[in-house]
Amino acid sequence: MTEKADLLTEAHNYAVVQLPGRRYPGVVVQGDTLFNLVRALTPSGDGKRDPDKVQDVFETLSEVLADYKKVCAQNGTGLPFVDDDRQHSE
């Protein structure tokens, strides 16, 4: 298979990419970053999650989502979901 994705953001721990044949872009996450996000949300031996780690994951994913929304707006593709945050701010 030789199809290629178009890189829509700078590549670092994640990137927004446009896959061939897809209407909306997607997000590629580096494997080590994905592993660390999941590990941060894994409950400890007592079954609890560390609130600071959960907050870190939330902030990281919020940053990814903000970049995704910006790319979609710049490219005029719209979003593949209803943006409740935008509705609440209007």
Side-chain angles (χ1 to χ4, degrees), residues 15-79:
V16 179
V17 299
Q18 183 67 52
L19 297 174
R22 298 301 304 236
R23 178 176 176 189
Y24 299 104
V27 176
V28 174
V29 179
Q30 287 297 114
D32 59 331
T33 300
L34 179 61
F35 176 81
N36 288 329
L37 290 170
V38 171
R39 186 168 59 181
L41 295 176
T42 301
S44 61
D46 63 2
K48 296 182 180 177
R49 289 183 175 89
D50 181 334
D52 292 333
K53 289 181 180 179
V54 171
Q55 183 64 31
D56 289 345
V57 171
F58 174 78
E59 290 171 6
T60 297
L61 293 177
S62 293
E63 179 184 317
V64 173
L65 182 58
D67 285 349
Y68 181 84
K69 289 178 182 181
K70 184 177 5 173
V71 166
C72 287
Q74 289 170 343
N75 292 338
T77 60
L79 297 172

